[in-house]
């Protein structure tokens, strides 16, 4: 690769080119869970709202979603 081609690349492209890390894609089911967490963070600041309550709301939106233990595990990490 020429020096000009390297200079034309963005930082993200250079990172992918020169790093040894493998980019892992996540499942749509897990992505929907991660998308739910920002709303959950806002709701948990309210009085009386618990993680269990938010899990129940998550299941209403995603009936085939994660069960309570996996939900809590992914929330913790």
């Amino acid at each position: 690769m020429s020096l000009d081609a390297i200079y034309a690349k963005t930082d993200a492209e250079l990172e992918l080119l020169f790093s040894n890390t493998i980019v892992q894609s996540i499942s749509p089911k897990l992505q929907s869970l991660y998308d739910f967490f920002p709303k959950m963070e806002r709701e948990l600041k309210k009085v009386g709202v618990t993680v269990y309550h938010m899990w129940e709301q998550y299941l209403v939106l995603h009936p085939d979603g994660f069960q309570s233990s996996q939900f809590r595990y992914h929330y913790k990490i």
Side-chain angles (χ1 to χ4, degrees):
M1 184 177 293
S2 71
L3 198 52
D4 290 333
I6 292 174
Y7 284 138
K9 296 203 175 286
T10 65
D11 288 343
E13 291 171 329
L14 290 172
E15 178 69 27
L16 286 174
L17 185 63
F18 291 108
S19 71
N20 289 332
T21 59
I22 299 172
V23 177
Q24 296 180 4
S25 63
I26 60 173
S27 70
K29 182 177 175 181
L30 187 55
Q31 184 62 51
S32 68
L33 179 63
Y34 288 158
D35 292 342
F36 182 78
F37 286 155
K39 174 189 175 192
M40 181 174 155
E41 286 290 322
R42 289 189 301 275
E43 292 295 316
L44 285 173
K45 293 178 183 176
K46 296 178 181 175
V47 175
V49 178
T50 64
V51 173
Y52 183 79
H53 175 74
M54 294 308 300
W55 171 69
E56 289 177 327
Q57 286 187 3
Y58 165 76
L59 279 184
V60 168
L61 297 172
H62 307 280
D64 61 337
F66 291 97
Q67 294 303 310
S68 179
S69 61
Q70 286 294 306
F71 180 86
R72 289 173 183 272
Y73 168 78
H74 288 292
Y75 177 63
K76 285 182 182 180
I77 61 166

